[in-house]
Amino acid sequence: MPCRLRCVPLAAAVCAIALASAPAHCGEAITLDQAIGRALEVAPMLANAAANSDLNRARIDEARAPLYPNISGAGDYLQAPGYDRTITNGGQTLGQLVLEYTAFDGGRRNDQVRAARYAAEAATLGVAAVRAQIVFDTTVAYFDLLRTRDQQWTLDANLGRLTGYVKIVEALERSGRAIPNDLLRIRSARDTTELALANADQAADHASIVLASLIGADDTNDLQVAPVDDLPAPPSAALDQSPAYKAADRQVRAAQMQVAAAHDERYPTVKFGATAGWLGIDPQKTFGHHLGASYDTALALPLFQGGLVRSHIDEALASQHVAEAQKKQIELQLTRDLADADDRYANARRQLDLLAQSQTTADDSFALDWTRFLGGGSVTLLEVLDAYQQAQALRLARFDQQFAAHQAAAQAALVLGIAR
């Protein structure tokens, strides 16, 4: 065959590959930082956690209020004509300012305040944990969409190349240099790739919908994301710095304070009271002549309450044991998740290094087999397609391993409570 005819298929192949290797990116791409920022703005979980934190801070003031005197106003007018005047004194009129103060209760109020503070700290740490969870969900959804987009564009370019190869084999079949079976094989490979592209399109739409729902985007199935070139290593920090672990620790301390408060119920209570105002029988005479004051001291010592105090102590101890078990469970889970994330990241990096080495070999192998096939060598089209599919499988596998590395790094950040 003249050289001119041999060069036509090669030129067509080069043009097809060049055109198919430049997929179009439609729409404005959103960056990872933008996606996380928007997710934090619209996430209802964060608003719920913040409201719970506010509620627990208000409970601190509620627990602290009994430490201060209680001042109130009282007014009463009573007439009881049907009763014995010896008992009712004919009636009662009062208008007073009343002050009550608990001077001693065995430390129960202070323990309840400390318990409320620890619970509020746990709720505040819960906000940080929710932020870390939102960042994790958004990061994983972002890189999942990036992976599916890369696979989508790679398969689209692959389909374009195979379409060009089909035309080349058709020309070779017409010239007698290829058999009909070769044409069937290359067409079958193209059809298989087109089916894989359809599946990739659906996967990309789903990933776009997931990310759009997290960030409140309108274009749910056509969201574009900016590529991320680097693979940051998982963050490292002490496990006890995790918000989840800290919150569990604060819950244990709050339970311990509740136990102490239950024990304090056994101590006597000393209260002081004072009044200032008017107290008499008839209103006119009362407000005209009976302005005065009073004070009293009351001591209450619990002797027998049917086991009520003991039951309160037992309930508080049970709550403490539950909190301690939950703290231990969270510690074990965080330790396991962090070790798993580090291992998955290291494995993904090793896989990427191996894929980089294998990709060059696979691409060279295909190029050699394809050149030999076009040049009329002994290689069959089946061998050419096998080399081509191996090279493409390695190229697609690289996107999966990149996603695995990003997911592992995000998992480690979630465990340690690190948010951007």
Side-chain angles (χ1 to χ4, degrees), residues 118-139:
Y118 284 129
E121 289 179 10
T124 302
L125 291 167
V127 175
V130 169
R131 287 180 60 88
Q133 183 66 53
I134 295 172
V135 171
F136 170 77
D137 293 339
T138 307
T139 300

Side-chain angles (χ1 to χ4, degrees), residues 128-395:
V130 169
R131 287 180 60 88
Q133 183 66 53
I134 295 172
V135 171
F136 170 77
D137 293 339
T138 307
T139 300
V140 172
Y142 183 94
F143 285 112
D144 186 35
L145 178 57
L146 182 61
R147 172 184 62 171
T148 55
R149 290 294 187 207
D150 287 338
Q151 291 177 339
Q152 183 183 30
W153 295 328
T154 299
L155 287 170
D156 184 66
N158 186 16
L159 180 63
R161 285 192 292 269
L162 285 174
T163 300
Y165 295 156
V166 168
K167 294 179 180 179
I168 293 174
V169 175
E170 286 176 347
L172 293 177
E173 194 265 343
R174 287 193 298 268
S175 66
R177 293 186 53 212
I179 60 177
N181 196 31
D182 292 336
L183 186 57
L184 292 176
R185 285 197 179 97
I186 194 68
R187 286 175 176 172
S188 177
R190 183 197 177 280
D191 294 341
T192 301
T193 301
E194 188 172 10
L195 179 61
L197 177 59
N199 292 331
D201 290 340
Q202 194 278 329
D205 289 344
H206 175 73
S208 178
I209 291 172
V210 171
L211 181 59
S213 66
L214 291 173
I215 65 176
D218 296 330
D219 47 348
T220 56
N221 62 346
D222 194 27
L223 200 61
Q224 303 297 327
V225 290
V228 178
D229 297 329
D230 59 336
L231 286 176
S236 59
L239 195 62
D240 57 5
Q241 298 302 310
S242 168
Y245 181 84
K246 286 183 178 180
D249 179 69
R250 298 304 188 276
Q251 291 290 1
V252 171
R253 297 188 182 186
Q256 291 172 345
M257 291 298 99
Q258 291 292 356
V259 173
H263 280 287
D264 294 336
E265 293 183 28
R266 291 174 169 173
Y267 292 94
T269 301
V270 178
K271 291 186 177 181
F272 296 129
T275 65
W278 291 268
L279 177 61
I281 299 175
D282 298 321
Q284 184 176 2
K285 187 176 181 181
T286 296
F287 292 109
H289 302 87
H290 297 293
L291 174 63
S294 69
Y295 64 90
D296 70 278
T297 302
L299 172 65
L301 177 63
L303 298 178
F304 177 74
Q305 296 173 317
L308 180 63
V309 175
R310 182 69 257 176
S311 67
H312 288 172
I313 295 174
D314 291 341
E315 290 175 6
L317 284 172
S319 298
Q320 178 184 342
H321 295 158
V322 170
E324 290 172 346
Q326 291 177 342
K327 176 184 175 181
K328 185 62 176 178
Q329 179 63 36
I330 289 175
E331 182 181 6
L332 293 174
Q333 182 177 349
L334 293 178
T335 302
R336 179 195 63 194
D337 292 346
L338 186 59
D340 179 67
D342 291 337
D343 181 71
R344 287 189 292 113
Y345 180 84
N347 181 67
R349 292 305 300 258
R350 288 195 298 268
Q351 294 281 353
L352 287 171
D353 293 339
L354 292 174
L355 286 171
Q357 299 174 6
S358 303
Q359 188 71 63
T360 301
T361 303
D363 290 340
D364 292 344
S365 176
F366 163 72
L368 179 61
D369 288 345
W370 179 243
T371 302
R372 290 175 60 193
F373 176 78
L374 293 177
S378 60
V379 66
T380 65
L381 184 61
L382 184 61
E383 294 173 320
V384 174
L385 289 177
D386 182 65
Y388 181 80
Q389 290 170 351
Q390 287 183 8
Q392 293 305 312
L394 292 174
R395 191 167 286 108

